[in-house]
Amino acid sequence: MVNYYDAVVVGAGFSGLYMLHKLREAGYRVKVYEAGSDVGGTWYWSRYPGARCDSESIYYNYTFSEEIYNEWTWSERFASQSEILEYLNFVADRLDLRKDIQFDTRVISSHYQDKDEQWLVTTDDGEQVKAKYFITGVGCLSTANIPKFKGLEKFKGEWYHTGRWPHEGVDFKGKTVGVIGTGSSGIQSIPVIAEEAEKLYVFQRTPQYSIPARNHPYSKEFIQQTKANFHEIRKKMHQTSTGLATEPRNRSALSDPPEKRKQAFEKAWEEGGLNLFYTYNDFTVNEKANATISAFIREKIAAIVKDPEVRDKLMPTYYFGTKRPVLDTNYFETFNKEHVELVNVKEDPIQEITEKGVGTKSGAEYPLDILVFATGYDAMTGTLLKMDIRGRDGLSLREKWADGAETKTYLGLAVNGFPNMFMITGPESPSVLSNVPTSIEQHVEWIFECIEYMKEKGYEIVEATEEEETSWSTHCREVAESTLFVKTDSWYTGANIEGKPRRFPIYLGGVGTYGEKIKEVANKNYEGFKLQVVHM
Ligand code: NA7
């Protein structure tokens, strides 16, 4: 006996929780499946030491309810993983969401049934349900990338991926630890692990730019003022390019003389956070503008790191901002510590994991008690493709997205051939290049209104047309190709995963512009979607 729902939602992070709330409030029958044992999504899994958000806390939350906004108070500028998880638990309790979420359950497939126009969803415990709408809220960075190093199974020590961190924590005291990877997760965790470990090896492939977070507790006055400005803040978050209430100054880095530019950089460096990235608006589109900020950060690194050899190894060369900007607390300072050693694995790549530790091509072996993989994710499409999603006539999403220069979505929300399926922060939407909760609100509200419109007008099926999908995907690619993003290997482009097609599956036009576009589509009776009334 198969249960029927109006909608099945996958994931109980920021996306799934809000989607559930919105639909359930309007009387729809909704079932949420979540692989974790509780709510939180990425903040449930990523419990590594030092894990925190790079968006300022006052923006990294829902804004759909002023009441909820007022009932929650962030303690500091950049919230820790545990505080964000606490926030999501608070929201789940406050809205009584858990009763419609099935935890510890992974959706393994979802197949559109042409004969009854329902999605047949199958989970890893063999349960099958049917739903009119299939909605994914699986996050853009949720499928851990553990490089296939030879010999990992032989390793006698403990090993962990930052995105699958044990709930009880890891005790590094007195241990020799290795961290592979210097992206955001590596850069956040390395200084914290170094505080405890007896010896720390950092295996670095690409040196990174990183900006001091300058985290600090929020004052009571600041919080009061923020809450008093709720409406203005929410409005701005949905209008800016970033999804924050702040955005880059509308000015080229080349429009100021060097002295003035330096002053702007110095001020922003002292303020910390993404302020430096927002001093000018052309770092990711103009090589010369980029050179100014890249050189500035390199100078800062040089001033912090004492050992000239280590300093050289830490010098980034790519275009700043074309890999995800990283915020840190004492990252470069950590390399001044005697017990921290930087290993350049670009020059001497990791060859294998041995019983004892990490072995490199040159024959060197680094003995370890604990190995940490801070090696990132199969981003953007990885988690969607892990599920076997099949649309009309058995068309598989994996096949549809297998090759070509574009991922192929309409607005990052829908895919031609996959009727009544919606993606929250899907590929080719602003997603990871925005304050993600704002993008999530934008998508959830749009999907909800579309479903309401369908009901009101008596439509049964909504499907993106091939023509509009092609036009949107082409637009996304063309915007990306006019920037420096496509010139750097990163998880944005899929270059971190062997065999993954190289693309840029993120819409770079910004949250505000994107919001206008999807609103216009809705206002024009869902232009670019085919809406059908009758069953065939
Ligand atoms: P990232 O940003 O993808 O960083 C992964 C790091 O791991 C990066 O330094 C990689 O070097 C390195 N890496 C990956 N594979 C290897 C191998 N095989 N050998 C050596 N080094 C390797 O992941 P994060 O978890 O730090 O951050 C992901 C996002 O999560 C972050 O931006 C936030 O949005 C949250 P590379 O640069 O590819 O040379």
Side-chain angles (χ1 to χ4, degrees):
M1 164 68 190
V2 172
N3 281 326
Y4 282 82
Y5 293 91
D6 293 311
V8 158
V9 177
V10 192
F14 267 98
S15 303
L17 292 178
Y18 184 31
M19 194 76 248
L20 166 61
H21 169 64
K22 212 58 196 146
L23 288 171
R24 207 179 60 181
E25 282 290 278
Y28 293 98
R29 287 193 70 216
V30 186
K31 172 115 183 177
V32 178
Y33 287 109
E34 166 57 55
S37 302
D38 208 338
V39 299
T42 199
W43 301 105
Y44 171 86
W45 297 103
S46 302
R47 299 167 188 243
Y48 61 85
R52 61 179 70 248
C53 190
D54 289 344
S55 280
E56 298 208 16
S57 309
I58 51 165
Y59 310 129
Y60 198 79
N61 41 220
Y62 297 116
T63 60
F64 65 82
S65 155
E66 186 173 6
E67 265 181 30
I68 291 181
Y69 195 84
N70 281 329
E71 285 169 26
W72 181 261
T73 298
W74 294 108
S75 70
E76 52 186 347
R77 183 182 184 191
F78 297 106
S80 65
Q81 169 272 332
S82 60
E83 192 172 4
I84 301 169
L85 188 58
E86 218 177 291
Y87 168 75
L88 289 168
N89 273 277
F90 151 76
V91 174
D93 290 338
R94 174 74 170 67
L95 300 173
D96 194 16
L97 298 176
R98 281 194 178 77
K99 65 180 183 213
D100 292 305
I101 306 172
Q102 187 167 320
F103 294 105
D104 297 306
T105 310
R106 199 173 274 283
V107 169
I108 55 168
S109 69
S110 186
H111 294 174
Y112 184 73
Q113 312 283 292
D114 294 276
K115 61 178 186 307
D116 61 0
E117 288 138 6
Q118 299 273 328
W119 284 91
L120 176 67
V121 179
T122 306
T123 67
D124 56 356
D125 56 11
E127 185 183 346
Q128 289 199 313
V129 296
K130 282 191 170 187
K132 179 168 177 179
Y133 296 103
F134 177 64
I135 305 172
T136 63
V138 293
C140 300
L141 293 146
S142 43
T143 293
N145 168 42
I146 301 171
K148 291 184 183 63
F149 292 123
K150 200 175 88 189
L152 180 58
E153 70 290 347
K154 288 191 223 144
F155 182 53
K156 289 267 171 22
E158 303 159 38
W159 67 267
Y160 307 97
H161 185 279
T162 45
R164 292 289 174 276
W165 204 256
H167 290 201
E168 63 282 10
V170 176
D171 185 3
F172 294 104
K173 269 189 220 88
K175 301 282 169 62
T176 300
V177 182
V179 176
I180 304 178
T182 53
S184 218
S185 309
I187 287 179
Q188 287 185 339
S189 60
I190 284 162
V192 185
I193 296 174
E195 289 288 321
E196 269 195 38
E198 184 156 309
K199 170 89 193 167
L200 175 62
Y201 292 103
V202 174
F203 298 96
Q204 170 196 270
R205 190 163 66 182
T206 307
Q208 280 271 22
Y209 299 96
S210 182
I211 304 168
R214 309 220 191 272
N215 193 20
H216 57 70
Y218 279 144
S219 69
K220 244 189 181 160
E221 297 70 46
F222 178 80
I223 290 290
Q224 270 166 2
Q225 204 184 359
T226 303
K227 289 184 176 175
N229 286 336
F230 169 78
H231 292 285
E232 198 188 329
I233 289 175
R234 173 171 158 91
K235 194 167 151 211
K236 275 195 184 153
M237 283 167 66
H238 284 262
Q239 282 174 345
T240 56
S241 60
T242 55
L244 303 161
T246 50
E247 62 181 340
R249 271 200 306 163
N250 192 14
R251 193 171 173 78
S252 163
L254 305 175
S255 63
D256 278 342
E259 255 324 290
K260 197 162 172 213
R261 191 168 55 227
K262 180 104 190 311
Q263 274 170 14
F265 286 166
E266 288 289 356
K267 180 170 173 285
W269 182 265
E270 286 316 311
E271 289 163 352
L274 289 170
N275 294 21
L276 183 65
F277 195 40
Y278 297 159
T279 44
Y280 299 99
N281 67 2
D282 54 351
F283 297 131
T284 54
V285 290
N286 182 320
E287 293 190 22
K288 286 191 177 142
N290 194 289
T292 64
I293 194 164
S294 297
F296 175 80
I297 304 176
R298 281 195 292 266
E299 273 171 34
K300 289 291 181 192
I301 300 171
I304 298 169
V305 182
K306 296 195 176 115
D307 182 320
E309 230 176 86
V310 179
R311 194 188 295 156
D312 283 354
K313 281 200 256 181
L314 282 169
M315 279 306 152
T317 52
Y318 66 91
Y319 296 110
F320 167 71
T322 55
K323 277 179 182 280
R324 187 180 174 284
V326 179
L327 303 185
D328 74 275
T329 302
N330 296 331
Y331 176 64
F332 294 111
E333 289 82 349
T334 299
F335 293 93
N336 291 332
K337 295 186 177 197
E338 283 288 312
H339 70 296
V340 178
E341 192 174 326
L342 182 65
V343 183
N344 179 349
V345 294
K346 180 81 129 208
E347 204 175 82
D348 185 14
I350 297 173
Q351 178 98 328
E352 61 175 332
I353 309 295
T354 65
E355 264 184 39
K356 290 195 189 134
V358 167
T360 58
K361 201 168 170 210
S362 69
E365 190 180 36
Y366 300 87
L368 304 170
D369 300 310
I370 302 174
L371 175 57
V372 175
F373 288 92
T375 43
Y377 300 87
D378 183 352
M380 313 310 299
T381 53
T383 311
L384 289 165
L385 296 184
K386 221 157 72 175
M387 293 182 278
D388 176 22
I389 301 178
R390 285 169 198 264
R392 203 182 279 294
D393 302 323
L395 173 69
S396 115
L397 193 60
R398 253 177 239 153
E399 278 165 38
K400 167 131 188 170
W401 287 352
D403 41 43
E406 296 140 8
T407 310
K408 294 271 180 242
T409 78
Y410 182 38
L411 305 168
L413 275 162
V415 184
N416 171 254
F418 296 78
N420 293 357
M421 176 178 113
F422 295 111
M423 300 172 295
I424 305 170
T425 67
E428 300 180 345
S429 73
S431 69
V432 292
L433 279 164
S434 72
N435 179 45
V436 181
T438 316
S439 283
I440 287 171
E441 286 196 335
Q442 219 175 30
H443 269 183
V444 167
E445 286 160 18
W446 189 95
I447 293 167
F448 170 72
E449 275 154 31
C450 178
I451 289 175
E452 284 280 90
Y453 179 87
M454 299 272 295
K455 188 166 89 177
E456 191 194 317
K457 303 280 179 199
Y459 291 121
E460 291 295 329
I461 304 169
V462 53
E463 181 181 349
T465 65
E466 192 174 2
E467 199 185 3
E468 287 300 324
E469 177 180 274
T470 303
S471 150
W472 178 254
S473 293
T474 307
H475 174 58
C476 275
R477 178 174 52 73
E478 285 173 354
V479 176
E481 282 171 357
S482 69
T483 71
L484 302 175
F485 279 103
V486 291
K487 299 195 172 180
T488 300
D489 283 348
S490 70
W491 56 257
Y492 294 149
T493 64
N496 65 327
I497 302 295
E498 228 182 290
K500 196 168 171 173
R502 208 184 154 114
R503 300 166 179 156
F504 197 85
I506 307 157
Y507 174 61
L508 282 171
V511 170
T513 309
Y514 177 80
E516 288 301 313
K517 169 71 189 168
I518 61 174
K519 201 194 295 167
E520 186 191 314
V521 165
N523 288 344
K524 290 186 176 166
N525 301 320
Y526 296 88
E527 191 182 45
F529 287 92
K530 191 170 154 197
L531 305 173
Q532 283 172 266
V533 179
V534 279
H535 296 256
M536 355 98 33

